Structure formats: structure tokens, C-alpha cells
Amino acid sequence: MSNKSIKSDLQEALKLCKGAFIAAAGFSMVINLLMLTPTIYMLQLYDRVLSSRSQSTLLMLTLIVSAIYLTQGALEWVRSQLLVRVSARLETLLHKRLYKVAYKQSLYSGGQRASSQPLDDLTSLRQFLTGNGLFAFFDAPWMIFYVAVMFMFHPLYGWTAVVSIIILLILAAVNEKVTSQILADANGLAVNGRALLNKNLKNAEVIESMGMLDNLQQRWLEGSYKILSLQAVASSRAGLITGLSKTLRIFLQSLVLGLGAYLSIKQEITPGLMIAGSILLGRALAPIDMMIGSWKGFILARAQYARLNTLLQQVPEDKDKMSLPEPKGNIQVDQAVVVPPGAKTPVIKGISLSIAQGDSVGILGPSGSGKTTLLRGLLGIWPASHGKFRLDGADIFEWDRMELGPFIGYLPQDIELFDGTISENIARFGEIDAQKVVEAAQMADVHELILHLPEGYDTLIGASGGNLSGGQRQRIGLARALYGNPKVVVLDEPNSNLDDQGEMALSNAIKRLKDKAVTVIIVTHRNNILGQLDKLLILKDGLLALYGPRNEVIAHLQQQAAAPNAATQAAPV
């Protein structure tokens, strides 16, 4: 079944709101019927009140019209509130889903496509649904009704209205033709520009330290100038057409007034119809004029809808998965091949291995050998393009992540702490168990450090860790990985920012994890931690070069290192 035949979540959400849109259309029908009030009032004044000079008739007509205007105003308010509630419901139905979509985009791209654009698109689309541009589309079908009434006044009135509408519709089509692609290009560049700006702001320290600001700012400005240029062209063209549309509408209303005067002189219509025809034509042309004026917003909303629709079809919602028993920590890799998102060449190339519950394994290898990629596969962050990563026999992707998460501890190379208190960060922003938070902090040997902070565990920190040093952030990240009752702990360069005291704390944490039969996997370039590990795994160019008990692997490496040296010594000079 093609993607086009499958309705996205956005289409399903709009379908749920269909009843509200039908109600809004119903209110539009009544409002447009009441829009005849000025025309009828004008007819009665010219043809009845002025001829009879009856003040009582004038008073009654004015009171009736006032009541109708109040009713019309109330209906307009109800219609607007209805669309406000529809837009709010649309965002309520989709914002959680789009949050996860944006999250998955960042997850599967290694953070390269981290963006809040889907949520921004939803907000902009919601705002369009509450604007005047959408009301014009509700009112547009009633042009036919007004034209029919004008034909009732006089056939020439009707044909003038038809020609006027055709002219303005042609202008609307020209407006679409000359602005839509330019605005779409400008919007696409704006999206890329925001992503570039966000990335630059995230790396402000690197930019400042190496004096890169002017160069990066110039690159961003070039894109901004291009966006401004495109928007200026589109706005210039749209402004010309909008001005022409308004001028034509005023001219056509005056033309109908002149036509009415001519028909009145010929005694084919009454003087009241002369004025009423001009008013009615203005009402018939108003939706088209409003659509031309709000066309830029409509084009942007259409592009946002298309992006959201495509994105929601490309990233389907996770299906509910059956709960599995609490994991023990047995890991098996079966001929796993991992291709990083956006790449074509595999980094992990058909690795098979087993890690028993309670094993502590060190992963070694030169830079670019695939160590971090292997960890991402083991954790189920990046999918295997071939083969399987299994936890207790089950494909890692078959686990419900929310159920599995508390049993996994992960410390990445780049420590990311989140806005909140230290205790919230350690407790992974779930319900805080004070005893478990302190236990995790003590295992990471960061408890005393936290107590010396101004507000202890209640100290607020930002995403960058506030005033904490790299080593302190790393140890808090380690405490987060150790929080609760993890069965598998994965540490990627956990000692890269640690001093001697931190190294000792890490060593003690590994001992305690081994005592609890927790499976520990560590990527490291430092040899001083290897003595704490049971097994070593050597990666080379994405392949498994060596894997086995620590002493055997080290002995094998020493033999390999000694063999070339012996050959060199034996070679004749």
C-alpha cells in the first residue's frame, strides 16, 4: 500500500475536527445571509421611507437592523471561537506525536537534524486556522448566492458581477503563479537558516575561542540576504496584484453604481436598487479580495501542512509492544551490520559476539574503528541494517523503551545534562527516590561534591551543566547511569574528563556493579581501568579483531607487538 493511500496523523486529526469545520461552515451560511441586511435596509429606506416619509417605519426598520447586526456580530464571535478551539484541539492531538517525531529525527541522525521545526510548523498552521484568511475560504462559496440575488435585481447587474468575479479570480491565480514558488523557496531557506543558527549558538564556546564568529556570521547573513531578496520579490509582486485587486473592486463597485443610475433613468430599477447593487457587489467580491491579501499566509500554511503530512507518513508512530520479563543482561550480537543514518558505507561490518550477564567488557580500537557505533547498536539507538542486537534473546528493538529504560545505564562521550535540579537529572526526571539518588551519587563518588553546592541536590543546573566542570558533569552523568537498578551499564569514554579521584571513583563503581552481576560495557583509551574488566574486545575498521578474557587478549597483543620487533632485530643491516 502506497504512502498516499495511508492517512497521516495530521489527516486523521483534521478528520476528527470535521464536525467543527462543518459547524463553522453553517455559521458562515447564516452570517452571509445576514450580510444582505445592509442591502435590504438601503432598499427600504429609498423605496419606502423616503417616499412615505414615515418616521415610525424608519424607527422600526432601524431597530430590526440593529438586532440583526448584534446577532451577526455574536455569530462572527462564535465562529471565531469555534475555530480557535479547533486549532487548539488540533495542536493537542498532534503536539505529543510531533515531539516524538522531532526526537526521532535527532536520534537517528546522531543529532545532525535536531530541530523543533515540526512543532513550529504546527503552531503556525494553528495560527492560520484562527486568522481572517480562513474566513475568506468559508465565505467564498457564497459569492454564487450574491450573484443570484443581483440577477434578481437586474440581468445586467448579474452579468457585471460574474465578469467582476472572473477578473478577480484571474488575479488570484496570477498571484499564486508568481509568488508561490518564490515563497516556498524562501521558506525552505529560512528553515535551513534557523537550523544553522541553532547549531552555531550551541557551539558558541568553540566559535568564540577560535575567532570564527565573523566567518560563520557571514555565511548565515548570505542565506538571510537571499531569503530577504526572495521575500521582497514575492511581496512586491503580491503588493502589485493586491493593489490592482482593490482598485478594480472599487472601480467595479462604482461602475455598478453608474449602471444602476443608467437603469434607474431608464426606469428599469428603483433608485434603491441603484445603491443596493453596489453594496452587494462589494460583498460578493470581498472574499476574493481578502484571499489575495492573505495569500502569503495561505501559501506558508500549505507548505507547513505538506511538510507535516510527509513527515508523519515517513515516521510512523511506534506500535504498542508486549511487555517482556525484566532483563538479566545477556547480550548477543548476530552478524550485525550498522550503517549510520545518512551514510551509505557500514561502520560495523558483520560482528558476532556474546556477553554474559555480569561480564565487564572493555572495547578498544583506534579512532574511527566503530566503537561508539557499536554501542549505539547495542543500545538500540541505531538500527542494524543486517543481523540483530539481542538482549536476553529478544531483538533490542522489540523492547518497549519506557519499560527497558530503567534497566539501562548509559554515559555518552558528550555529557548532556538537562535544565532542572541535580536530583532530577540523576533520577532521569522521573519520580525522585531520594535514597536511590544518594546511592547513585555515592557510587559515582559525587555525593560530597553535591553537598557542597549552594543548594545541594536541589541546585539548578542548565543543559551545559552551569558552573560545573567537565569532570563534575561526567560524574553526575555517571550517577544518572547508575541510578535505580540497571542490568546493563554502557560507558563511552567515562574517564575522559576525570582526575585521579574521579578515576578511583569510576574503578570503585565498576567493582560494585560487578558485585551486583550487572553487565558493564566500557569504551576507553586509557589502560589503567583495564585491570577491572573481565574481557576485552578489539575493533579494527568495523571488524572484530580480538575478543576474549582480558589476560588472553593482552597476551595476544603483546605477542603481535613483539613479533615485528624480533623480525627487525634479526634482519641483516
Side-chain angles (χ1 to χ4, degrees), residues 411-417 463-465 470 472-478 480 492-494 496-497:
L411 181 68
Q413 284 188 39
D414 299 322
I415 306 300
E416 291 290 347
L417 301 178
S464 62
Q472 290 170 337
R473 288 191 296 112
Q474 196 157 33
R475 286 159 69 181
I476 290 175
L478 177 60
R480 180 178 62 192
D492 193 355
E493 299 288 355
S496 58
N497 293 311

Side-chain angles (χ1 to χ4, degrees), residues 36-108:
L36 290 174
T37 301
T39 304
I40 297 172
Y41 185 58
M42 185 68 68
L43 278 172
Q44 297 302 315
L45 290 181
Y46 271 86
D47 297 343
R48 288 178 181 269
V49 175
L50 292 181
S51 60
S52 66
R53 298 183 180 277
S54 171
Q55 295 183 13
S56 60
T57 303
L58 175 61
L59 178 61
M60 288 305 298
L61 284 173
T62 303
L63 289 174
I64 292 171
V65 167
S66 299
I68 291 174
Y69 281 154
L70 287 173
T71 303
Q72 181 182 330
L75 291 175
E76 290 269 14
W77 180 80
V78 171
R79 181 176 68 168
S80 67
Q81 290 302 303
L82 187 63
L83 291 178
V84 167
R85 294 193 178 190
V86 167
S87 65
R89 187 185 182 197
L90 190 65
E91 183 151 352
T92 301
L93 289 170
L94 290 173
H95 70 288
K96 288 177 67 176
R97 170 84 167 92
L98 286 171
Y99 183 94
K100 289 186 177 180
V101 168
Y103 163 78
K104 283 188 176 181
Q105 276 190 313
S106 177
L107 177 66
Y108 295 147

Side-chain angles (χ1 to χ4, degrees), residues 7 126 300 312 358 392 478 483 517:
K7 288 188 176 181
R126 176 180 61 79
L300 292 176
L312 288 168
D392 287 359
L478 177 60
Y483 176 78

Side-chain angles (χ1 to χ4, degrees), residues 181-193:
Q181 188 58 51
I182 294 175
L183 286 173
D185 292 342
N187 192 41
L189 288 172
V191 170
N192 294 334

